[in-house]
Every structure is written in C-alpha cells, then in structure tokens.
C-alpha cells in the first residue's frame, strides 16, 4: 500500500514537472496578460486606425473614438466569425496609437488586441517626435521600458510588443539608434521587436545590431518580408531564428503568398512564419474614416488555396496559432 502511494506521488510529480517545464509564457493584451496557449488564431499585423499627419501635428482630438468604434466593430465581427481570437494592432505612437480606443474595441468585440511601444522611423522620420532625434539609445529605451512598467500615457494599458520602423535601404544612424533602443528594451522587458523593414538589406543589418547587443534573432519579427523578392533570404533569416512576417495579403497577391509559404515549408521553416493583411483602417481627416479594407482574405481565400496545395490542418494551425503565440510571448531571448 505504502509503495503504491509512493508510486502515485512519484507519477504526480513527473506530471507536474512536465507541465511546468513546458513553455508557459504570457501575452500582454490591452486588457492585461493572458496565457500564451490561449491566444488562438491571431492576425499578427493589422491596424484599427492610422493617422499620417506627422508627429508634429498628431493628437487624439483628430478622431471621434465612438465613431471609429462604430466603423471598426463590424470588421472585427467578421473575423471573429471566422475563428480569429487575437489581433495585433501595429499602429505605433505618433501614428495614431490610442490605447483607450483599442481597449474599448477589444471589450466590445470580444477579440484580444495587442498594442505596442516604440517609434517608427520609416517615412523620412516624419513620425518621430523631436526628442527622438536628440536623445541617446538608453534615454529612448527608458521611455519604452517605462510604458511597459507603468502602462502607456497614464492609461494603465501595457504594450504587448515593441514596434519600430526603419527605411528600406541601409540603416541610417538614427534608425540604428532605434534598433539599439529596441534591443535594450527587449532585454529589460522580454517584449518582442516587430520592425517595419521590407527588403532584406536593412533586415540583416537589424539582426546584426541585435546580436551585437546580445539579443537573439528569435526576439525579432521581420515585418513586410514579402517585399523582398529574393525569397532565399526568408530562409536564411528564419534559420537564424527570426520571425518572417508575410503581412500584405490581399485579393491580388494570393499566389505570391502560396509560393512564399511553400518555400518556407520545403525548407522546414514553417515554424517561423507569420501571416496577416496589414489592413484596416480608419483614416482621420477623411470622410467617415475613408476606405476601410477588411481582414478576411486570409481565411476565405488564402487558406483554401493552401489546402489545395496540401498544407495540412496541423501546418495551418502552426502558422495561425502556434507561431503567433510563440512570437509574442513575453520572454527575454538572449544570444
Ligand atoms: Zn502596418
């Protein structure tokens, strides 16, 4: 009898230690943390609102939150119907990031939304606040770390990742500074770095800087990687550990996405790809928010094509569920 009890206790111990040894991380949504394994099907790069007026003129006064919400909610209801559970909002500060708006849209839609900290240098630095030109890497990182520690601008909403943006050529000193600030913020917070990048030249320069700062490529999402036409570079970056974000799906480029995904699959790096539309969004200053592009093409048009190309349900689950939850888990990833 005693032996039996001892044996059962031993088994229980094994089971418990097995549970705790599995990666358990959390995802930070605008409503606080959720377990990473409950993130579900995720759109990893979309927008609710973007305002291109520039850092000098931007203000939340430029949009009416309840009006925006009314326009956005039907689009989120569409994707919820298709099984989507989480939505990564990639609009950075000074481009219309509005944590209160996102929180209220998340509450009303029942979809988990992630927002971000960081600055966007692409677009000729028009979206960078004045102080970002003068401050050091560490001063900028300190601002981002503070948003993680205390919440964004007094809203209590915490960022779920770092979003930066760099121009599509070789990195300027200013953009190198943003990448270094992102690396240092990552090491203090465990937030993943999503960088609007495009071609492979700046992507590999960013990876070089991150490694020099002691940050693993696993903490880096190469945003708009579909812009790079040499798709062998996707494989190269994925093998280093980086996340390859193919995030511009629309009705007219589905075959390109099939080709890029087949390339990832054939090279055994399907576990490093993220898919999204980079769609939306409410445009402040335009009548009724201008033209709004929905988020359903991935589900209604791309997935059927992938199934035709013999992508298994397991592989689709990997791309839409497992990869996003691993990419956005809060975890320091050192070299
Ligand atoms: Zn975007």
């Amino acid at each position: 009898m005693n032996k039996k009890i001892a044996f059962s206790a031993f088994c229980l111990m094994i089971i418990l230690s097995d549970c705790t040894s599995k990666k358990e991380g959390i995802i930070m949504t605008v409503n606080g943390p959720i377990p990473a394994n409950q993130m579900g099907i995720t759109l990893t790069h979309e927008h609710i609102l973007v305002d291109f007026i520039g850092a000098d003129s931007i203000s939340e006064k430029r949009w009416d939150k309840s009006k925006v919400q009314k326009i956005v909610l039907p689009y989120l209801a569409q994707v919820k119907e298709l099984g989507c559970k989480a939505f990564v909002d990639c609009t950075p500060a000074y481009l219309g990031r509005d944590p209160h708006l996102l929180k209220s849209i998340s509450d009303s839609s029942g979809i988990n939304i992630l927002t971000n900290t960081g600055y966007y240098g692409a677009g000729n630095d028009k979206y960078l606040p004045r102080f970002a030109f003068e401050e050091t890497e560490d001063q900028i990182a300190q601002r981002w770390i503070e948003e993680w520690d205390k919440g964004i601008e007094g809203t209590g909403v915490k960022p779920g990742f770092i979003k930066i943006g760099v121009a599509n050529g070789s990195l300027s000193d200013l953009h190198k500074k943003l990448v270094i600030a992102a690396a240092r913020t990552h090491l203090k917070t465990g937030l993943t770095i999503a960088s609007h990048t495009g071609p492979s030249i700046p992507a590999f320069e960013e990876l070089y800087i991150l490694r020099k700062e002691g940050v693993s490529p696993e903490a880096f999402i190469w945003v708009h990687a579909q812009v790079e036409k040499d798709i062998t570079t996707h494989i190269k970056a994925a093998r280093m550990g980086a996340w390859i974000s193919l995030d511009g799906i629309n009705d007219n480029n589905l075959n390109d996405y099939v080709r890029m995904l087949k390339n990832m699959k054939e090279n055994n790096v399907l576990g490093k790809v993220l898919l999204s539309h980079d769609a939306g969004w409410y445009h402040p200053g335009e009548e009724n928010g201008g033209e709004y592009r929905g988020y359903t093409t991935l589900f209604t048009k791309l997935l059927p094509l992938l199934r035709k190309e013999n992508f298994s349900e397991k592989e689709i689950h990997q791309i839409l569920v497992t990869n996003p939850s691993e990419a956005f888990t809060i975890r320091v990833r050192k070299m």
Side-chain angles (χ1 to χ4, degrees):
M1 187 65 183
N2 274 349
K3 246 185 190 168
K4 217 171 172 183
I5 291 170
F7 181 69
S8 307
F10 176 71
C11 289
L12 187 67
M13 219 170 71
I14 296 283
I15 291 164
L16 288 176
S17 72
D18 190 47
C19 286
T20 47
S21 69
K22 287 209 181 96
K23 278 185 209 157
E24 271 188 359
I26 59 144
I27 303 291
M28 185 57 72
T29 78
V30 293
N31 277 312
I34 59 165
N37 61 15
Q38 283 173 31
M39 195 181 193
I41 293 179
T42 300
L43 287 169
T44 54
H45 188 117
E46 307 292 350
H47 299 275
I48 296 285
L49 178 150
V50 186
D51 188 355
F52 290 109
I53 190 78
D56 296 338
S57 315
I58 194 129
S59 148
E60 285 187 15
K61 292 195 190 90
R62 287 179 37 82
W63 53 91
D64 173 340
K65 292 178 204 251
S66 62
K67 204 173 156 190
V68 177
Q69 173 151 334
K70 225 186 199 158
I71 286 175
V72 173
L73 282 175
Y75 293 101
L76 289 184
Q78 283 176 350
V79 288
K80 196 181 179 199
E81 187 74 27
L82 293 164
C84 178
K85 297 248 184 298
F87 179 104
V88 179
D89 188 80
C90 285
T91 300
Y94 302 99
L95 269 156
R97 180 189 63 167
D98 182 340
H100 274 145
L101 174 68
L102 296 179
K103 195 173 179 321
S104 126
I105 287 176
S106 177
D107 290 341
S108 305
S109 65
I111 288 185
N112 283 316
I113 298 179
L114 281 66
T115 186
N116 62 82
T117 188
Y119 303 145
Y120 182 92
N124 293 322
D125 307 318
K126 187 183 171 190
Y127 310 105
L128 288 176
R130 284 291 109 199
F131 59 78
F133 293 83
E134 319 299 337
E135 290 186 356
T136 65
E137 295 87 343
D138 284 326
Q139 284 172 313
I140 291 171
Q142 197 44 50
R143 290 176 182 272
W144 300 347
I145 293 163
E146 224 168 274
E147 290 197 337
W148 168 253
D149 285 340
K150 298 180 187 157
I152 297 167
E153 294 156 359
T155 60
V157 172
K158 292 194 174 194
F161 63 108
I162 301 161
K163 170 78 189 284
I164 57 171
V166 298
N168 56 13
S170 201
L171 297 178
S172 67
D173 286 343
L174 182 56
H175 293 179
K176 280 181 191 162
K177 188 166 80 175
L178 296 178
V179 179
I180 294 170
R184 294 181 186 172
T185 303
H186 172 77
L187 292 174
K188 285 277 183 335
T189 62
L191 290 168
T192 301
I193 303 160
S195 180
H196 166 109
T197 298
S200 62
I201 289 174
F204 285 102
E205 288 184 14
E206 290 177 278
L207 285 166
Y208 177 80
I209 292 174
L210 293 182
R211 296 196 336 168
K212 224 169 92 185
E213 288 287 319
V215 173
S216 162
E218 290 188 8
F220 180 73
I221 300 173
W222 173 5
V223 173
H224 308 324
Q226 73 276 4
V227 168
E228 175 57 65
K229 294 304 165 211
D230 175 4
I231 59 175
T232 63
T233 60
H234 294 167
I235 308 304
K236 188 179 164 198
R239 290 208 174 121
M240 287 166 74
W243 297 97
I244 313 302
S245 179
L246 307 175
D247 48 37
I249 298 167
N250 65 49
D251 285 353
N252 304 316
N253 60 18
L254 297 168
N255 289 329
D256 296 336
Y257 279 76
V258 171
R259 190 173 53 90
M260 291 187 286
L261 288 164
K262 280 170 80 174
N263 176 48
M264 296 294 279
K265 181 176 165 173
E266 280 155 17
N267 286 285
N268 297 316
V269 284
L270 216 46
K272 299 282 5 176
V273 71
L274 301 171
L275 276 186
S276 222
H277 307 85
D278 197 10
W281 49 74
Y282 188 96
H283 304 65
E286 291 184 27
E287 204 186 327
N288 290 321
E291 199 184 318
Y292 204 103
R293 195 156 63 87
Y295 316 102
T296 58
T297 310
L298 189 166
F299 303 100
T300 58
K301 301 205 171 143
L302 183 60
L303 290 187
L305 284 179
L306 291 177
R307 289 185 174 114
K308 241 190 221 162
E309 293 285 344
N310 294 321
F311 277 74
S312 67
E313 292 313 308
K314 201 175 152 196
E315 286 164 339
I316 288 170
H317 185 271
Q318 169 98 45
I319 299 169
L320 298 187
V321 178
T322 314
N323 291 353
S325 76
E326 280 179 14
F328 289 95
T329 289
I330 310 292
R331 182 164 57 90
V332 174
R333 280 151 273 193
K334 288 187 185 161
M335 272 311 288

